[in-house]
Amino acid sequence: MSNDTLVRLGGVEKTFRRGSEEIHVLHELSLEIPNGEFLALMGPSGSGKSTLLNLIAGLDKPTRGTIEIGGERIDQMAGRALAGWRARHVGLVFQFYNLLPVLSAEKNVELPLLLTSLSNAERKRHVANALEIVGLSHRAKHTPRTLSGGEQQRVGIARAIVSDSTLVLADEPTGDLDRKTGDGILDLLQALNREHGKTIVMVTHDAHAAKRSNRVLYLLDGQLSTELAA
Amino acid sequence: MLNWISQVVALTGFNLRTIPQRMGSAFASMVGIAGVVAVFVAVLSIGHGISRTMRQTGSADVALVLRAGADSEMTSILVRDDVKLIGEAPGVARADGVALVSPELFVVINLPKRSTGTDANVPFRGVEKPVLGVRSNVKIVDGRMFEWGKNEVIVGRGALIEFTGLERGKTIKIGQNEWTIAGVFESNGGLEESEIWTDAAVLQPAYHRGSSYQAALVRLASAGSYDEFKDALTTDPRLNVKVQRMTEYYAEQSRTLHLLITVLGTLVAGLMGLGALFGALNTMYTAVAGRAREIATLKALGFRSSPVVISIITESLLLATIGGTVGALLAWAAFDGYRAATLNWQSFSQVTFAFDVNTRLLVEGIVCSLLIGVIGGLFPAIRAARLPVSVALREG
Ligand SMILES: Nc1ncnc2c1ncn2[C@@H]1O[C@H](COP(=O)(O)OP(=O)(O)O)[C@@H](O)[C@H]1O
Ligand SMILES: [Mg+2]
């Protein structure tokens, strides 16, 4: 079982300081995510879903506790090593896509590969492959401004998978999209999970979206539970 | 390392591609820096120009003899016997058996300036025949030399440009006397070009100077004869004079002016530079703030902070260098060789000179712009690097 665990959080505390006030967002939180799972995180707004996702992504550090991913203790890594680790091991999908407006779709997708030692030709091949998977090969040369929201999110997803990381972290990936377009994105995430073996953690406040996952966890009062407390 | 460099290159490329979207502020910052550098170069070229004028006037094998205790020609007096003794001293160059000693007197007259129409002081110098052998860079460029013993003058090119009514053939009326302008002369841009010359023997009675002079310029047999000449004069009990190389004299005369202009110029350019620095800082802070989410995204994807910092500074440097180069070239095109006049603080008369925009000044101007660029990019870059990714992504 433990060999199959990709993400392991133990006794994680996260406290923010705002002036003299302390905000306890996560409290004694533990979580195991097996390889190949599609996990949905739900919970009311402000409950700490993004905070938790950022911790798993190595974008932020826990106040206390351990975070182990693929056997590495990322809570102990220095910022510089963490940047390199992120580039190799996680793909991030954002609610508002966060594409660079001056770059074409394929250049946006190529960004994470600039951090690798891949040759120009290899990068091109990986980018074409990722765009193919998300179904946007015909939009490769378009800049984000000329793409619809759904297409932009597909570019975002292509960027998250282009360096072939096993872990994809998506923070409300359909939050900015209408139901129909959102469903397309969810289909895509599901396919990535089933056909490409990606482990996915998706934050959502939409029960309909959460149904696509293998498992739903609710974040409330800094703790995770399998049930939404009545 | 290679990876780090390619990160810098890639990020700088992204930064530069966002410039068209914020052309207004980028352009304003470039114009500001161009203005600073142009002013810096123009103002300091005045100091360089004046120095050059003074240098052109001086010559290492020409000595200036003044009454002991006098600190300029204005306050000095020499009599005919002094001049004769000076001519007999060792080390004096001779031409056709005549000692190359030029006794000179000097009055200040008022003439209307072309630019303002108001009167300003012009040096009016009385000279004797050896002057052309001593001040050997003086050449008549229009008309002829004045005739000895007559009320005729020649005018320097600088004076001609600066004042009205000095064209060849015209007459100038000073007090009871009228002087006809026989010709125009140049002296390689030397101080003489600001002056009007006539025969000392005519000037002396017109100004009730009897047979007195103010200074004697002496051409030496060689620059090496100076010590011998100086010792002979200063130890001669019949004379009460001091001897200086002409180069030293003019260097001293222009020191105050050069210093004043350099200090003032640096002050003005410095204040403007501060303004341009704030402009550059503002441009880059705005750029960084507007791109906070992009920068955070890049960092989230694994780009490191230091390439982000370097790329922002590079962009700022590039904008500043373009601005600085344009400013320096503008100053050069507009001001190099531009003739102007200023007050000689020792004689209180007008000195004409040409702005001297030289390579060193251009380089200094561009270096200034580089400094503004680095500092203008550094602080915004540090802010961008420090902002935690998770916070920037929330707020962006
Ligand atoms: N960097 C921060 N500084 C201070 N407070 C923060 C910070 N990040 C998150 N918070 C607070 O933590 C709580 C959880 O935020 P978040 O994880 O974004 O919630 P969710 O994604 O579930 O809506 C909120 O109260 C939020 O204001
Ligand atoms: Mg959130």
Side-chain angles (χ1 to χ4, degrees), chain B residues 128-365:
Chain B
E128 295 194 348
K129 281 179 180 154
V131 72
L132 296 176
V134 179
R135 296 187 185 261
S136 53
N137 51 5
V138 168
K139 278 186 296 289
I140 303 290
V141 292
D142 184 26
R144 55 169 174 81
M145 182 65 181
F146 60 76
E147 225 173 280
W148 301 97
K150 282 199 170 175
N151 272 30
E152 285 188 354
V153 299
I154 53 173
V155 301
R157 194 167 63 102
L160 171 66
I161 293 170
E162 193 64 25
F163 294 94
T164 54
L166 293 184
E167 290 79 12
R168 179 169 59 86
K170 291 200 173 167
T171 56
I172 40 179
K173 190 169 182 340
I174 308 158
Q176 257 58 282
N177 302 291
E178 288 199 357
W179 312 77
T180 306
I181 298 163
V184 177
F185 69 92
E186 280 183 5
S187 62
N188 280 338
L191 203 55
E192 293 93 345
E193 291 186 9
S194 311
E195 300 179 344
I196 300 175
W197 284 8
T198 189
D199 184 352
V202 180
L203 193 61
Q204 281 167 333
Y207 282 83
H208 312 294
R209 295 291 184 91
S211 63
S212 74
Y213 303 93
Q214 274 158 298
L217 272 187
V218 179
R219 178 161 291 283
L220 301 169
S222 74
S225 317
Y226 175 74
D227 288 336
E228 184 191 9
F229 173 74
K230 181 177 181 173
D231 286 348
L233 289 200
T234 49
T235 57
D236 188 332
R238 293 167 297 176
L239 283 170
N240 182 25
V241 296
K242 70 172 195 181
V243 179
Q244 271 176 295
R245 284 189 200 272
M246 203 177 169
T247 44
E248 287 166 13
Y249 174 76
Y250 280 118
E252 213 169 87
Q253 296 285 298
S254 63
R255 192 165 299 141
T256 323
L257 196 57
H258 191 179
L259 193 73
L260 191 79
I261 286 171
T262 308
V263 168
L264 272 179
T266 311
L267 212 69
V268 170
L271 283 176
M272 285 187 63
L274 218 58
L277 177 60
F278 283 113
L281 276 171
N282 186 49
T283 299
M284 295 313 292
Y285 270 126
T286 312
V288 165
R291 300 182 55 231
R293 178 184 279 271
E294 275 178 47
I295 292 170
T297 303
L298 288 165
K299 282 162 73 179
L301 294 180
F303 283 86
R304 282 183 10 213
S305 287
S306 55
V308 169
V309 169
I310 303 283
S311 71
I312 290 168
I313 293 176
T314 306
E315 175 192 332
S316 168
L317 254 181
L318 195 78
L319 293 182
T321 312
I322 295 172
T325 307
V326 168
L329 292 179
L330 275 182
W332 175 71
F335 291 116
D336 191 36
Y338 176 77
R339 295 198 70 88
T342 184
L343 205 61
N344 179 331
W345 290 74
Q346 272 72 27
S347 67
F348 291 104
S349 49
Q350 296 285 317
V351 178
T352 66
F353 64 92
F355 283 50
D356 182 14
V357 180
N358 52 34
T359 325
R360 194 183 113 202
L361 214 47
L362 290 178
V363 170
E364 282 173 2

Side-chain angles (χ1 to χ4, degrees), chain A residues 5-116:
Chain A
T5 303
L6 181 61
V7 177
R8 192 195 309 271
L9 278 71
V12 165
E13 298 271 344
K14 182 64 186 178
T15 310
F16 289 113
R17 265 194 173 283
R18 195 179 282 153
S20 59
E21 190 191 357
E22 282 204 338
I23 308 162
H24 300 273
V25 180
L26 304 179
H27 179 61
E28 280 293 317
L29 184 143
S30 295
L31 170 65
E32 288 198 358
I33 304 173
N35 227 324
E37 183 174 54
F38 185 170
L39 172 67
L41 281 177
M42 296 192 69
S45 177
S47 58
K49 304 181 295 294
S50 295
T51 301
L52 176 56
L53 205 69
N54 285 345
L55 289 178
I56 299 172
L59 292 174
D60 209 350
K61 298 253 173 145
T63 312
R64 238 191 328 277
T66 60
I67 302 176
E68 192 182 314
I69 296 176
E72 289 187 89
R73 283 283 299 273
I74 65 162
D75 57 295
Q76 293 180 331
M77 282 186 196
R80 186 193 264 217
L82 206 51
W85 174 86
R86 268 202 308 275
R88 286 189 304 276
H89 297 287
V90 289
L92 299 172
V93 178
F94 305 93
Q95 178 175 358
F96 298 106
Y97 333 123
N98 289 3
L99 303 176
L100 265 59
V102 292
L103 300 183
S104 66
E106 60 180 2
K107 290 290 174 195
N108 264 292
V109 175
E110 191 185 4
L111 280 174
L113 298 182
L114 297 178
L115 300 167
T116 67

Side-chain angles (χ1 to χ4, degrees), chain B residues 112-118 161-164:
Chain B
K113 292 183 76 163
R114 279 183 202 274
S115 53
T116 57
T118 55
I161 293 170
E162 193 64 25
F163 294 94
T164 54

Side-chain angles (χ1 to χ4, degrees), chain A residues 191-209:
Chain A
L192 288 177
N193 173 247
R194 290 186 183 155
E195 290 153 36
H196 299 270
K198 304 291 181 198
T199 304
I200 299 177
V201 183
M202 174 179 74
V203 167
T204 183
H205 58 257
D206 177 6
H208 171 79

